[in-house]
Amino acid sequence: MTANPIFNANRMKVGIFCTNGKGAALTTVPEAYVATWASSVETARIADDAGFEAIVPYARWKGYVAGQPDHITGHVMEPFTWAAGIAQATRHSAVFATSHAPTIHPILAAKQAVTVDLISGGRFGLNVVGGWNKPELEMFGAALREHDQRYDHLAEWTEIVERLWRDDQAFDFAGKFFTVLEGISLPKPVQRPRPPIMNAGGSARGQRFACEYADMCFVIIKSERPEKIREQVDAYKTMAREEFGRDIQIWTNAFVVQDEDQDAAERYLHRYSVEYEDRDAADAWMKAQQEQTQLMPREALAAFRQRFVAGAGGFPLVGTADRIAERLELLAECGIGGVLLTWVDYVAGMQHFVRDVLPLMERACLRSPFSPAM
């Protein structure tokens, strides 16, 4: 897997997130990103030319605002097909697909993943999710399982996918959720023994799954205090090392609001996440998180509302380029190895970030200078 850019030596790896749909912000602000194929390719190429390590879509089969079947939260391009096209349009960045285990059989997921790995020349990665959006799963005829059982199901699903990538001989699998007779999948991935796996387990059971199976484990950073961030990171890494003998990368997501001065950035954050909050979407998101996940206690979720509206609960990177670079250096010092970034207006935001923030990250020895391959 060492050829995949997510395994390079940069202290702080960066990627983009959610460009196959409306983005991460629950906002109705007029300049918000609109997901088209043209905008998907444009943002991917900006990231690729700048040396970003990862391009990660999200999976959404149905919007989560009840009574509004045409709500924009459901306007999302299918991740594997999208990843195949993005792989063909890029040359450097790792291209991921996100898969909810209850919505796709592992044999099909394994084959699709290998196809994208071949298209990309060994730059594919798979973000695996147990599934939490009840109306979405019910549309598939898949019941929303009890929380911990979702991860038992996801573990079997992942084991089958990994064996199909790895095993040269046909195998049988008899589990609680899946039965496979004479399972085999050819061709094999470019990356051996397998493409990297990503998972964002927020609960205790989710974290345990991520430590056992994932190479990139995501945390929702719950505190601004460095010692608290280090506690989250160290707990994850210790579990992976001591219980499963594995070294893992810890990533997080962050929303970027960059401007010439701090006050202007704070005003814009307030504009899009408070004045133009998509209240229907935010209410539905909060309700689903409270009822169907164990990301954090109900009181903490309520306090996080603006961060969910601003960018899927991501870490705030708000202010001048210097301030954003300082915040990224703080995360690196706390053991965070990578961050998936979102913006309200991806194209303009990414261009400013590449122009102003990346050089500061290089100066701080967070990243090495990057030259696109000719």
Side-chain angles (χ1 to χ4, degrees), residues 146-164:
E146 181 274 329
H147 178 273
D148 286 3
Q149 194 178 67
R150 297 175 214 169
Y151 285 98
D152 298 337
H153 176 268
L154 183 59
E156 282 193 15
W157 188 96
T158 304
E159 288 173 16
I160 293 168
V161 169
E162 288 192 358
R163 291 196 65 180
L164 290 166

Side-chain angles (χ1 to χ4, degrees), residues 61-349:
W61 299 95
K62 186 178 186 179
Y64 41 81
V65 179
Q68 298 185 38
D70 61 344
H71 192 271
I72 194 170
T73 53
H75 291 235
V76 181
M77 285 177 267
E78 190 280 316
F80 281 97
T81 312
W82 186 89
I86 295 298
Q88 186 70 11
T90 54
R91 296 172 292 179
H92 167 76
S93 300
V95 180
F96 282 74
T98 294
S99 182
H100 291 151
T103 68
I104 183 173
H105 195 280
I107 295 174
L108 177 58
K111 179 77 80 170
Q112 289 178 316
V114 169
T115 302
V116 183
D117 202 43
L118 293 169
I119 293 169
S120 68
R123 293 183 288 121
F124 179 72
L126 181 60
N127 178 28
V128 298
V129 185
W132 60 268
N133 187 358
K134 185 177 180 180
E136 181 176 78
L137 298 183
E138 288 176 342
M139 186 173 70
F140 280 85
L144 180 67
R145 294 182 173 89
E146 181 274 329
H147 178 273
D148 286 3
Q149 194 178 67
R150 297 175 214 169
Y151 285 98
D152 298 337
H153 176 268
L154 183 59
E156 282 193 15
W157 188 96
T158 304
E159 288 173 16
I160 293 168
V161 169
E162 288 192 358
R163 291 196 65 180
L164 290 166
W165 285 343
R166 183 184 67 239
D167 289 7
D168 292 320
Q169 301 297 319
F171 65 90
D172 293 340
F173 182 95
K176 180 178 180 181
F177 305 99
F178 294 99
T179 299
V180 176
L181 299 177
E182 294 290 306
I184 189 73
S185 182
L186 297 171
K188 298 301 182 187
V190 175
Q191 299 174 85
R192 303 306 302 269
R194 60 167 176 77
I197 291 173
M198 171 193 301
N199 179 256
S203 66
R205 178 66 181 94
Q207 290 179 21
R208 188 173 184 82
F209 170 87
C211 287
E212 184 172 5
Y213 292 99
D215 305 289
M216 304 160 69
C217 302
F218 270 78
V219 296
I220 295 286
I221 296 174
K222 301 174 183 177
S223 173
E224 297 277 324
R225 294 166 56 189
E227 65 272 18
K228 292 297 184 181
I229 300 173
R230 289 191 192 98
E231 283 180 15
Q232 281 189 267
V233 172
D234 290 347
Y236 236 133
K237 289 188 172 183
T238 298
M239 181 188 294
R241 183 174 57 253
E242 294 183 355
E243 297 194 31
F244 301 105
R246 305 182 69 242
D247 290 322
I248 58 174
Q249 295 182 18
I250 303 297
W251 285 55
T252 194
N253 63 307
F255 60 88
V256 183
V257 184
Q258 181 181 337
D259 213 313
E260 294 301 316
D261 64 73
Q262 189 70 33
D263 287 344
E266 296 284 355
R267 286 194 302 271
Y268 185 68
L269 172 61
H270 186 272
R271 177 177 185 265
Y272 84 81
S273 66
V274 178
E275 297 173 25
Y276 281 87
E277 178 193 90
D278 185 339
R279 187 174 299 275
D280 288 343
D283 288 346
W285 172 268
M286 296 296 294
K287 184 175 186 291
Q289 294 297 315
Q290 290 168 359
E291 294 178 352
Q292 299 163 24
T293 75
Q294 295 181 13
L295 181 63
M296 60 183 70
R298 183 180 296 265
E299 300 77 16
L301 270 172
F304 258 55
R305 181 182 177 104
Q306 189 187 12
R307 272 180 54 173
F308 281 116
V309 173
F315 188 74
L317 298 176
V318 181
T320 65
D322 285 325
R323 174 63 173 163
I324 291 169
E326 289 169 2
R327 299 272 281 174
L328 288 166
E329 187 171 11
L330 167 67
L331 293 180
E333 289 172 352
C334 292
I336 299 291
V339 58
L340 289 183
L341 304 173
T342 65
W343 292 262
V344 172
D345 179 346
Y346 278 81
V347 173

Side-chain angles (χ1 to χ4, degrees), residues 1-10 12-16 44-55 86-96 117 119-125 191 196 251 358 367-374:
M1 295 188 289
T2 53
N4 192 303
I6 71 157
F7 297 109
N8 69 25
N10 285 335
M12 178 56 73
K13 300 167 180 63
V14 293
I16 59 173
R45 285 179 171 161
I46 294 171
D48 196 58
D49 290 344
F52 285 26
E53 281 80 7
I55 300 169
I86 295 298
Q88 186 70 11
T90 54
R91 296 172 292 179
H92 167 76
S93 300
V95 180
F96 282 74
D117 202 43
I119 293 169
S120 68
R123 293 183 288 121
F124 179 72
Q191 299 174 85
W251 285 55
L358 280 188
R367 300 180 61 77
S368 297
F370 177 78
S371 296
M374 300 302 293

